[in-house]
Amino acid sequence: MNADARPRTVLDLAAMKAAGRRIVMLTCYDAAFARLLDQAGVDVLLVGDSLNQVIAGEETTLSATLDQMIYHAAAVRRGAPGALMFVDLPFLTYQVSVPEAIRNAGRVLQETGAQGVKLEGGCAMAETVRALVDRGIPVLGHLGLTPQSVHALGGYRVQGRDPGGAERLIADAQELERAGACGVVLELVPAALARRVSGALAIPTIGIGAGAGCDGQVLVLHDMLGLNEGFDPKFLKRYAALGESVRAAVRAYAAEVRGGTYPGPEHSFE
Ligand code: KIV
């Protein structure tokens, strides 16, 4: 990979970290946005199980299914055939047994063209991560606020604030690296702790609500574009106000249809 090239394989991620190049990741759920994100130079597309909230309108990620993830990931792949793409393994598709995890992660790679899967958890998932990696399935870890454990964690809150929790998080990250993970997403973690974790690993950390010390950043696409207006956590920066743009465009269309000015002759066939 040359100095400014985008990563095309999972091995490029550690190379980017070694070269001090920050990784740009965004979630993506469909072909139209995949095309745009790829054209804009995003390094990694993540088909996150957040689609269960963003696209399907559910409260949590817990009811996302493997078929749902595969449907959206295949669409993303069609929109961005050359992109580096990870797909979340949804709740209960990898926690029950290692063979189930291998079969389900394998389906994701076979049916979507993704280069890897993401799963939540640290030491408890190390055996599964190792089994997947040993079978040629790259794995991205996910620590800190792990949304599939939202009930056990008592809500969507910052993790690792207490010394014990911080040490556990570092140990989890190191165990994921030993198990062969190619990177770790850190969600809702104090910035100083995320910086420590990043310094302790050769694989990259990708933060969301984890400060500037991570090796890359990820945001949920609809949040950063202003399409999810009710959601306003401290870490989120909105780079556009597409919600307002959509309303304005639709109001203009409705007014023209009602006023009989759309379609005009230039939009009509002889
Ligand atoms: O599902 C998702 O979108 C994620 C990101 C928040 C990292 O896991």
Side-chain angles (χ1 to χ4, degrees), residues 43-252:
D43 291 319
V44 187
L45 303 181
L46 172 66
V47 185
D49 58 357
S50 54
L51 65 78
N52 204 45
Q53 296 161 297
V54 176
I55 304 296
E58 296 285 356
E59 277 293 309
T60 71
T61 60
L62 293 175
S63 57
T65 67
L66 192 64
D67 286 340
Q68 195 183 354
M69 299 304 300
I70 287 174
Y71 172 85
H72 284 275
V76 170
R77 175 50 83 217
R78 287 190 288 272
L84 183 54
M85 176 174 98
F86 285 85
V87 179
D88 271 350
L89 290 180
F91 185 55
L92 286 191
T93 63
Y94 61 95
Q95 294 94 337
V96 176
S97 71
V98 168
E100 264 190 50
I102 295 170
R103 187 168 304 283
N104 289 330
R107 265 194 72 194
V108 169
L109 264 58
Q110 268 188 334
E111 297 178 35
T112 74
Q115 285 92 337
V117 296
K118 177 165 81 57
L119 57 80
E120 299 179 7
C123 292
M125 296 314 304
E127 185 195 352
T128 304
V129 172
R130 194 167 285 113
L132 293 174
V133 173
D134 283 350
R135 286 157 182 83
I137 301 173
V139 179
L140 192 58
H142 186 153
L143 297 173
L145 186 279
T146 44
Q148 293 174 14
S149 305
V150 60
H151 299 309
L153 297 175
Y156 296 98
R157 50 176 69 160
V158 176
Q159 302 295 307
R161 282 197 195 273
D162 59 303
E167 292 312 316
R168 272 196 305 280
L169 197 132
I170 295 171
D172 279 336
Q174 288 174 323
E175 189 59 31
L176 286 177
E177 178 167 53
R178 273 193 293 275
C182 60
V184 183
V185 168
L186 296 178
E187 180 166 356
L188 288 192
V189 172
L193 174 58
R195 193 178 289 279
R196 268 183 75 196
V197 174
S198 306
L201 303 181
I203 56 172
T205 58
I206 300 175
I208 174 165
C214 295
D215 303 301
Q217 297 292 328
V218 58
L219 284 175
V220 169
L221 181 65
H222 291 56
D223 298 344
M224 62 87 78
L225 292 180
L227 283 166
N228 187 11
E229 293 165 318
F231 184 62
D232 200 18
K234 180 175 182 197
F235 68 81
L236 176 63
K237 178 168 176 181
R238 292 215 174 91
Y239 288 83
L242 292 198
E244 196 39 52
S245 304
V246 170
R247 274 190 297 271
V250 172
R251 277 193 208 108

